Every structure is written in structure tokens, then in C-alpha cells.
Amino acid sequence: MPVSRRNFLRGVGVTGGAGAMYGAMGAIGLAPSAAATPTPAFTPPAPSDFSLTGRSTRSVLVLGAGIAGLTTAYELGKAGYRVTLLEGRDRPGGRNWTVRGGTTETDLNGETQRVRFAEGQYMNAGPARIPQHHVTLDYCRELGVAIEPFVNQNADALLYYTGDTAVSNVAVKHRTAKADTYGYVSELLAKATSTGALDGELTADDKEALLEFLRDFGELGNSTGDPAAENLYLGGSGRRGYTVEPGAGLEAGTVAPAPSLHDVIAGGLGREFSFEFGWDQAVMMFQPVGGMDRIAYALEKAVGPSKVRYGCTVTGVRTTAAGADVDYVDAAGRARTATADFVVNTLPPHIAARIPHNLGPAVTTALGAAVPSPTGKIGLEYSRRWWEDDLRIYGGITNTDLDLSHVWYPSSGFHSGRGVVVGYYNYGQDALDYAALPHAQRRRRAVQNGAEIHGAVYGDDIASSFSVSWSKTRFSEAGWVDWESQTGPEYTTLLAPQGNVYFAGDHLSHAIAWQHGAMTSARAAVTSLHERVMTA
Ligand code: PHE
């Protein structure tokens, strides 16, 4: 499966070119205000909506007890809707899945992994980071799920890119790469400014202001005394990090000289710096204390666990004159049919597309238009936190063009005896390559590549491991989906109810691959359904 452009852009965290950037710059003047709160505003249905209007409550079948389904059930439940959830798995959360010791999973390759992480150790196999502006945090507050910082960026984490420059095939600290990239880019821009190349764009005052900015931003200077050698990146400051750290008394520290401009630019050290500019990826970010599934279980508890029927596989969906019917096979293998006034279908679209229904061919086409996007992770549990002890990396992410893509160091449990490192988190073809392997081979390959970046220590002290391929995970079959268009007829068809059947999920939002998308989509379905009931 080719990596779609959108998926690639999501992977590298770039959401637009220069045009998009200039467009966004128009918004720079926006002060933080009510305009920046999650949209659209949401008012949950209330019991009084029924009691004060003399209406009777309605019943709703929710397909899928992932974040969209649970949010739907939770918000409808606030008003007294009679809600039942049908869930294929034996747990709530869907892709919100925290893997701990005791977790057992059989993937679509037919391989069963039994997780042997020690008590308290876990990996968030699906969502693992939450930006400040996502409604996910509002639900954490409302449901009493404690949160802690997630380290999405660390100056002392590493970059490792292959190539044929002096900075290739070696681990470079994020801070060093930044100092050198900002330094040389600033030097080049200063040169262009000073030699008049930008005279058409800048007034004399602008030029002086820009040079002043660049001297600071890139740490430019002149070590020669020759006025012609102004505004050069000298590369000798502590921004790069030290080979001998500053210390007591006369120890001023030693900084290694910077590589050449060619090496830094051609080595592509800056290729992922824009990730942290992203609307959804900028610090601060958060995670629930103890695992992302705290959110799923808190929602399940608020909904009422008895409302969720686990182990139920949906086999048919029909809108009827009176409401809607859903065929399913229950946990005991019995074929059953459930009936309600409404259905909210939150199943992944590529899975829903295969389930017989009477909603018409446009719905089948729409569901089938979603392009499943692969992703995967491996959790390596170490009995020694060597990344802290030896490398002084406390949380954060290492980026690489090796097929691992990202290595995540744990954001909690600092200085404790052990920890789970995410040894790869990749997308596209890399994810498919790992998906095809049995776990032991995934692990071998991940450790081999990880050792290229971190050294032989990477292979030591591994107590246990677990890997997930979302394309090979039953009931998900993808990490998320991409759409060719989010204004076209396929997408918009699913935004409207089809008879008495509604659709919801992160795939029906502009926050695909985020719980926020699932939650806002669920709220939109709840609002639409409730308005209909209240005006009927
Ligand atoms: N939300 C997921 C993550 O943060 C997937 C994603 C990656 C979404 C990058 C947008 C950008 O890893």
C-alpha cells in the first residue's frame, strides 16, 4: 500500500507548504480567547430536555465501545437515553489500549503474544499523547482521570539519519542539531541580507532588525576582526552541548567544533524540527497517570459497565420504519438481533463497509473510500533505565530515518528500576514491513536498529517486549484512515444520518488519529440526534 501524501505529511508533522503557512500567519494576532476553545461548543443532552417537554426517552444502540462510542453513550446517558453498546473486544477503548503484564492478544497473522511486563509497567499501544487544547483533557477533568506531562520534545534526545556527511550515521543530540541548523540558516540569510539580495523585500531598518534577530537566533558573530567576516555561525557555544561540561573553578567547559555548513544542510539534520510547531504536537502535552486506558475505563464506568456487551461482532445494520435493527454474534457465538430507536455506528469505516446494511450504495461507497493507514509500535521493557543513567535522556523522542522512525523514552517512572521504551513507532511502508514479521523478528530488527543509534547497551537488560501492528489487529485493521477529500460526497454522506443510523469516529473529524477527533465527532452525532428527537 502506498503511503498517501496526507499520511506522509502526518508522519513528518508538516501540515502545509508556504502557502498554508502564510495563510496561518494572518491568525497571528488572535489573542487566546473563547475563540480558541474546542469547536463547536457542546451542550450535553439533559434529563430536563425530556421531562420538561413531555417526551419519552429514546433507545440507542452504539456500535463500538472505543472512544467515539463511549463518548456517545456517556453524553446520551446524561439525559436518560437508554443506551446499549456492542463491542467486539472484551475491553473498552478500541485503539485506546494500554498493554500491561497479563495482556494477551492474538493478531491477524495468528500470532499470540502474552505480555510479561512487570507490575506497574505499560505501553500505550494506541494514543499516547494529548495536546492541551483537546477535549480529551476536558473528559479527564470531568471524569477524574489524573494527568501528567508527556515529554514530546527533549533537547537531549537524539537524531540519527543515514547519509554520507560528517553528521550521518551517528547519533546527534537534538540541541546540537538545532544549534548548527539554526546557525547556518541564519548565516545564509544574514549573508543574503548584507549583500543586498533582499533589498527588494526589506527596508534598511528591516534589514538591521533582521540581522539583529539572526545574530541572536543563530548565534552569529565574527571571530576574525575582519569586518567582511560579520555574522558567521561560529558554532562554539554551549547551545551545541559540551564534551567537557562547565564545572567548578576554572572549568569553563569544552564545546566540540561544529561540522561544516555542507554537512549540516546536506545531512538534513533539521528535517523534523517543524514537528514541534504542529497544532497537535507542540509542548505541553499530557498523558493519563498509569496508562491511556484510564480514560476508556473512566468512560465505561460513567456509562455503566452493564450497558456494554463485550465479545459481540456486528453482522448487519438496518434502518427501519420504527428505528433500527442490528444483527450480531454474541460472546457465546449466538446470532442475535437488537432493536432500538437509533443506531450510532462508530466502527472503523473499512470494517463497517463489509457489514451488510440497507443504507444504500452511497453509504457502501463512502465507507469504502476511507483508506486504512498502517502504524505500529514495539514496547521494550528494560530492567535498567540506561537512557537516564548513561545518556541523561529523561523522556522525549529520538527521530531517525531507520525503519524505527521514532524511539520514545518513558515520560514517567524516572529513576525507577525499569521502564518501557517504545522501540519503534512507524507508519506507511515501515509499519507494513514490521507488520509482516512475527514478534521475535520485529524485536530483533528493532533492537539491531536501535543499537545503531544508542550503541550495544540497547540490547542489554531487555526483560520483555510486546509489539502491535494496528493493520494486523482485529476490530481495527489500521492505525487510522485517510480520505482523498474531506469535502467530497463520500465523507459528507457519513456526516448525515442515514435513516435512523448515525456515524461517528475520529475518521469523521478534522482530528483524525486523535481521541479528540473521536470525541468531537461523537458530540456532533449526539447533538444531531438529540435535536431531531427534541423537534420530532
Ligand atoms: N495522534 C497520533 C500521534 O500523535 C498520530 C499522529 C501523528 C497524528 C502525527 C498527527 C501527527 O502519534
Side-chain angles (χ1 to χ4, degrees), residues 10 129 275 281 425 427 480 512-514:
R10 182 170 291 125
R129 50 186 164 194
F275 184 72
Q281 296 291 355
Y425 170 28
Y427 326 101
W480 49 79
I512 290 179
W514 294 101

Side-chain angles (χ1 to χ4, degrees), residues 111-128:
E111 180 174 14
T112 299
Q113 293 182 64
R114 280 188 186 77
V115 186
R116 290 180 291 107
F117 294 166
E119 177 77 33
Q121 299 299 312
Y122 68 85
M123 172 172 75
N124 290 322

Side-chain angles (χ1 to χ4, degrees), residues 202-368:
L202 300 170
T203 67
D205 283 352
D206 291 348
K207 282 167 61 169
E208 204 25 69
L210 179 59
L211 287 171
E212 193 180 328
F213 164 75
L214 293 170
R215 278 191 287 267
D216 172 62
F217 185 71
E219 248 186 347
L220 307 183
N222 180 348
S223 64
T224 68
D226 173 357
E230 283 307 326
N231 300 327
L232 300 179
Y233 175 52
L234 304 177
S237 98
R239 283 188 191 179
R240 302 196 73 247
Y242 292 89
T243 50
V244 178
E245 291 192 17
L250 295 177
E251 183 51 74
T254 306
V255 177
S260 71
L261 182 144
H262 160 78
D263 286 329
V264 170
I265 300 300
L269 287 179
R271 69 184 78 176
E272 276 164 289
F273 290 168
S274 66
F275 184 72
E276 67 203 42
F277 302 165
W279 166 242
D280 288 327
Q281 296 291 355
V283 296
M284 289 291 292
M285 296 192 80
F286 291 86
Q287 63 182 11
V289 175
M292 191 59 82
D293 66 350
R294 299 287 195 247
I295 295 175
Y297 283 99
L299 280 167
E300 185 213 41
K301 186 171 168 214
V303 165
S306 66
K307 308 263 172 66
V308 192
R309 295 191 200 150
Y310 290 106
C312 293
T313 310
V314 174
T315 55
V317 179
R318 285 178 306 280
T319 187
T320 64
D325 295 337
V326 173
D327 301 327
Y328 64 100
V329 177
D330 73 10
R334 277 187 302 264
R336 292 181 173 280
T337 299
T339 295
D341 294 320
F342 300 100
V343 162
V344 180
N345 185 346
T346 74
L347 304 181
H350 45 287
I351 293 178
R354 300 196 300 254
I355 300 174
H357 63 78
N358 70 347
L359 307 175
V363 168
T364 308
T365 306
L367 292 167

Side-chain angles (χ1 to χ4, degrees), residues 120-136:
Q121 299 299 312
Y122 68 85
M123 172 172 75
N124 290 322
R129 50 186 164 194
I130 310 171
Q132 295 166 89
H133 55 87
H134 278 188
V135 296
T136 317

Side-chain angles (χ1 to χ4, degrees), residues 383-447:
S383 58
R384 186 175 82 85
R385 292 173 77 102
W386 52 266
W387 54 95
E388 291 169 6
D389 297 352
D390 302 357
L391 303 181
R392 301 191 80 86
I393 297 174
Y394 286 75
I397 296 172
T398 281
N399 296 322
T400 178
D401 65 354
L402 299 179
D403 60 20
L404 311 173
S405 291
H406 308 286
V407 174
W408 288 17
Y409 312 99
S411 289
S412 64
F414 302 109
H415 287 175
S416 65
R418 44 182 65 227
V420 176
V421 168
V422 175
Y424 62 77
Y425 170 28
N426 51 22
Y427 326 101
Q429 190 55 50
D430 290 334
L432 292 176
D433 290 347
Y434 276 92
L437 302 175
H439 172 71
Q441 283 179 43
R442 293 177 187 167
R443 169 175 160 161
R444 198 169 315 128
R445 184 157 157 179
V447 170

